[in-house]
Amino acid sequence: MTKIYVVVFALLILIGFSCKKETPTRSFELSATTKNNNVFLNWSPVLLSGFKSINVYRSTSPIPDPQFDRPIDANLLIATISDKNKISFCDSNVVNHKGSVHYKIVLNLSNRIIASNEEQVNFEGFSLTLPIKGGSYTFVCPEKNLLYMLNGNSGKICIIDYFQKKVLTIADLPPQGLGFAVMNAGKPELFMNKSTKIISCHDGLTFAPKYNVIIPSGYVKDYKVKDNFLYILNIDNYAGSIRTYDLTTQTLLSDKLIYLSPDIISSNLYVTDSDELFVKCICQIYNSQNNIYFYKSICFKYNLLNHLPTDSVIISHPLLNSDTLSINNYRYIEPSPDGNFLTCNQNGDILDISTSSIYNIGSANNTSSSIVYSKTGNYVLVKPGYLNNTVSPPLLDIYLRQGFNFVKTIKSANPQMIPGTGSLYGDDFIDNDTLISYNIKSKSSNPPVSVLTVFLKKFN
């Protein structure tokens, strides 16, 4: 009997050693880092014998451990590595993944498999497939985290909340011109040109029509809305005037002449949070003595008293009011939301109106700059004025609005144009302390669809 016990005990010891030998062990660890929307995976060298391959898996949900759980879905396999000495892998195809992305690698040996730990990467972004052909126009309302995607050809408009990562509204679009979204009297509203004489107002969340403002004469060159008042830069027989409407009743309150010119090339109007109104105009003037035309650039500033523009002053500075044969510089004339600063040109020169001093926030990254003031927050974004059809995402410079001190350079999360596609459009803007980068890619399908991809990156 004693011999039987001894034999059983010995068998149990052998079984124990056998089980211990087959118990899965981790001989290497996985780590993951991100840069420019690529995921870089690294693991420790494989020191075990019997190497066959390494499988790399990616999923938007936790990946099971094949040593203890069910096998990993073969559809999650993104790469198989047959080189034992390779200890890294770059995943560059994660652009359309939402939220968290999970990674695991599995070492295949001749007699067993070993799974690494799981690494989770959080992409602050998302993608949405929309039943609308790409956007003819896009505009944003950062105060409400809204992105508007409009396609005039298909007669559709989409309203997306980019923080909630969802579509709020897809609506049919009557014939409209380019518009803008604004917080008006505490509510998001969307204003659009139905024609050069009609401006329509829609609910900013549902796109339900609210009312139209009809212009009796001339045509609308530019317009802005603030505190339920509409300010129109109107051109009528070469005369420029500011027309002020009360949007509660849609009635005209004042029509203030601002300039006369034989040929008005362009005009832009801005209204600041501090109740100031700026008008930038470029006029073509004929010099009969020299028999040539030249351009006169003028910037007017009005204070709003009881919502109406008072007498104007001309903001004068050589960089701001340069007379030039190129009229492209008018696109860069924009006041800061507080009305204290004016962007002068595409070189990154900003005028301090109170002191007439100049800040320059141009850089080697953006020699032809487009400067965007954050409507929510205290930052300024400097981005390329044009993209030159490059695949490489542009570099974006971020400055503090107070003192224009440099914060950092961030690479845009998306290529804004891809040569040969003709169907990818994107842009970047700042919402508080978050850089929002988005692109829209049309897909050839019937019915037409497009993919909106949005990236959100905090930078403070």
Side-chain angles (χ1 to χ4, degrees), residues 8 19-20 40 119 182 206 234 275 328 333 360 376 417:
V8 171
C19 291
K20 184 176 182 180
F40 296 89
E119 281 289 288
V182 65
T206 65
N234 195 73
D275 289 331
N328 290 332
I333 310 304
N360 184 274
T376 56
M417 296 183 70

Side-chain angles (χ1 to χ4, degrees), residues 91-157:
D91 184 9
S92 59
N93 296 312
V94 291
V95 66
N96 286 332
H97 280 281
K98 305 176 184 180
S100 297
V101 182
H102 302 257
Y103 290 92
K104 182 171 288 190
I105 59 176
V106 174
L107 172 62
N108 298 302
L109 301 175
S110 56
N111 60 347
R112 56 177 167 158
I113 63 172
I114 301 176
S116 74
N117 56 295
E118 181 177 276
E119 281 289 288
Q120 179 177 326
V121 177
N122 183 37
F123 280 90
E124 295 182 328
F126 63 96
S127 291
L128 295 172
T129 300
L130 307 172
I132 171 177
K133 191 175 181 180
S136 301
Y137 305 107
T138 59
F139 34 95
V140 299
C141 181
E143 297 91 336
K144 267 294 188 181
N145 315 324
L146 300 178
L147 171 66
Y148 295 82
M149 187 174 120
L150 180 155
N151 188 287
N153 296 327
S154 63
K156 294 284 186 182
I157 186 169

Side-chain angles (χ1 to χ4, degrees), residues 177-228:
L178 184 60
F180 63 88
V182 65
M183 288 296 292
N184 183 34
K187 298 178 181 179
E189 290 184 333
L190 190 64
F191 290 84
M192 306 186 74
N193 292 70
K194 286 186 117 176
S195 69
T196 58
K197 294 182 179 293
I198 302 176
I199 296 173
S200 63
C201 176
H202 303 261
D203 185 284
L205 294 174
T206 65
F207 200 64
K210 300 182 76 171
Y211 55 80
N212 293 327
V213 176
I214 300 174
I215 314 305
S217 62
Y219 64 93
V220 177
K221 190 68 176 176
D222 198 5
Y223 66 100
K224 294 294 184 293
V225 173
K226 185 177 186 294
D227 298 334
N228 224 30

Side-chain angles (χ1 to χ4, degrees), residues 317-330:
H317 192 280
L319 290 177
L320 182 66
N321 291 322
S322 59
D323 299 331
T324 172
L325 293 178
S326 171
I327 65 172
N328 290 332
N329 72 326
Y330 84 91

